[in-house]
Amino acid sequence: MAEKAPSTSLLWLTIVAAPGALALETAIRLLFFPADFELIRELFEPTLTPVAWGVALLAGAGAALGIAIQRRVVERRIARLSEEESTQARRFQIAFSVFLLTTAVPQIPSIFATFCFTFGASLVPVLAAIALTSVGVVAQALRVPRLAA
């Protein structure tokens, strides 16, 4: 039986998850939250903006950590394959599965940054978190074929 390669649409959904979360949050907040909620956001802005900057730093560290652990995990999982199981398609499937796992490392902080924005943090640190996350996720995505080789 021929093995099917993972979907590239899943790859793209992973890459756009953090910016998509911000867009979805903004749309939901603007459509469904009461106008008075903006007063709460203004009240919490001075407190939550530094928190969002801290979360942005965590997202950057998460991006670096995700890249660092991606190779190790892929190599370990591929090393466990028997010679018969070690096909190019199976190695790619393993590398792709690890990619999906390790991209959560930077994406979780960027989601927290989005929550900070919901409750009043400045948009700048949130965009910084999303940018750092996106760079880390794209870097990991570009490594998948090479790690599967």
Side-chain angles (χ1 to χ4, degrees), residues 70-71 74-75 78 81 86-96 142-149:
Q70 180 188 25
R71 175 181 301 279
V74 169
E75 287 173 352
I78 288 176
L81 294 175
S86 186
T87 63
Q88 178 62 31
R90 181 67 180 126
R91 288 191 310 270
F92 186 83
Q93 189 177 44
I94 287 170
F96 191 81
L142 292 173
R143 296 174 68 192
V144 168
R146 193 178 34 198
L147 292 172

